[in-house]
Amino acid sequence: MVEVPRFDMPFAARLSPHVDRVRRHTRSWVRDMGMLGGVPWTEAFYDAADFGGFGPLTHPTASLEDLKHINDWHTWGFYVTDAFREGFLRPRDVVGGKAFVAGLKSVLTGAGSPMHPAAKGLADLVTRSTLDEEDRHHLDEFLDALLWELHNTAQGRVPDPIDLVEMRRRSVAAELSAKLVRASVGAELPEELLRNSTMRALVDSFGDVPALRQEIVGFDHVYGTGASTTGAVLAVRQFFGCELRQAVSLVADLIAARLRQIGTILGELPSLADEYGLDAEAKAGLHRYAEALKSWLAGELLWTQRSGRFSSSPTPARKSFHSPSGLGTAAVLVR
């Protein structure tokens, strides 16, 4: 079994005052979409994982209505990932996995008839969202990353660590998450700024932190049981020919390095704003975006530490919001 290391966090987590209402809303939504039918989620598992508490920790300043919408998107992503893993990845069902992804993509094009809860949830979200071509492209990438993992696992192949990190950014929808962060704080930023290499590096590092941490926290549940061969710990272990404990330590070091890089980039944003000639309103939006990214990362860590998503128990007991650990979590609101 993997010993999960202590993850330090240089940023402070905060909790939305709307957490209880969002939890009630999200639970009602997943039930309406048919996601609590037992595979992959039972009601007990859903409650223990606390998917309804994810958005209130990662978007603590969002309005109630925005937070409900944001949390539905995140919950849908969690559900798709879990449903794909248990339905197609673990049994190596390539044909079924392709059909599942094709069905979701048909919903995005408006051609599908949603039957599976994942497709029904996506159809509902699409009707409530304003998706542009970039959004649809990133959703396609998210779905393609599922198939990439399935193909590698079916072949018994452990990918190169560099390839894996790049694909994991897609499988956690880093681009879409960053966009939701910007929207939640009303940060209207010029496209040319968002395409800047520094801003691109910020989003990449932002996506790497939760993606890599999930592969440590979920190792025993996913990779240790043979459900997937495309894990960062497995890739590092094979690439360097090291023991499991050392591989975990190396991945944890990479997470810490990404957090340091994020801190460095955030310190460069004022100079970048001047370079692009941002006016006062845009500079304020950039500052809100930076602060929101920090809140998201700290909130995601706290949620991961208390969620029962990867517990070995069939009905893990959900922890309450208290006694957060790690540098920077002292300012979390206690509930």
Side-chain angles (χ1 to χ4, degrees), residues 178-220:
K179 190 170 184 178
L180 283 173
V181 170
R182 292 196 299 273
S184 71
V185 294
E188 297 287 343
L189 302 175
E191 286 298 321
E192 59 268 28
L193 173 64
L194 295 174
R195 290 192 296 266
N196 174 275
S197 59
T198 299
M199 296 295 286
R200 298 293 316 128
L202 176 61
V203 173
D204 287 347
S205 294
F206 164 75
D208 289 346
V209 171
L212 294 172
R213 182 163 48 234
Q214 177 178 294
E215 301 210 338
I216 294 177
V217 175
F219 184 89
D220 292 334

Side-chain angles (χ1 to χ4, degrees), residues 88-212:
F88 311 107
L89 187 60
R90 195 180 292 278
R92 275 53 166 174
D93 182 1
V94 175
V95 174
K98 287 182 176 179
F100 176 80
V101 167
L104 292 176
K105 287 191 173 186
S106 69
V107 171
L108 284 175
T109 62
S113 177
M115 301 293 290
H116 192 282
K120 186 176 180 181
L122 179 58
D124 179 71
L125 287 167
V126 168
T127 61
R128 294 158 47 201
S129 307
T130 304
L131 300 180
D132 56 26
E133 287 305 309
E134 183 181 52
D135 296 330
R136 296 177 188 278
H137 171 71
H138 291 313
L139 283 168
D140 275 340
E141 287 187 329
F142 164 69
L143 297 173
D144 288 341
L146 298 176
L147 291 180
W148 176 83
E149 183 168 6
L150 176 56
H151 284 300
N152 277 283
T153 299
Q155 296 167 15
R157 178 177 179 269
V158 179
D160 177 273
I162 296 176
D163 292 339
L164 189 142
V165 168
E166 181 178 346
M167 289 303 295
R168 272 290 170 258
R169 293 169 187 160
R170 300 178 183 182
S171 68
V172 299
E175 294 277 358
L176 290 173
S177 292
K179 190 170 184 178
L180 283 173
V181 170
R182 292 196 299 273
S184 71
V185 294
E188 297 287 343
L189 302 175
E191 286 298 321
E192 59 268 28
L193 173 64
L194 295 174
R195 290 192 296 266
N196 174 275
S197 59
T198 299
M199 296 295 286
R200 298 293 316 128
L202 176 61
V203 173
D204 287 347
S205 294
F206 164 75
D208 289 346
V209 171
L212 294 172

Side-chain angles (χ1 to χ4, degrees), residues 233-234 236-238 240-250:
V233 175
L234 294 178
V236 167
R237 185 181 185 186
Q238 176 173 285
F240 291 103
C242 59
E243 296 298 322
L244 180 61
R245 179 178 296 183
Q246 186 178 4
V248 170
S249 179
L250 288 171

Side-chain angles (χ1 to χ4, degrees), residues 25 64-74 124-125 128-130 180:
H25 162 81
L64 174 59
E65 291 308 311
D66 285 348
L67 192 50
K68 288 178 181 177
H69 187 64
I70 289 169
N71 205 59
D72 286 349
W73 268 113
H74 282 298
D124 179 71
L125 287 167
R128 294 158 47 201
S129 307
T130 304
L180 283 173

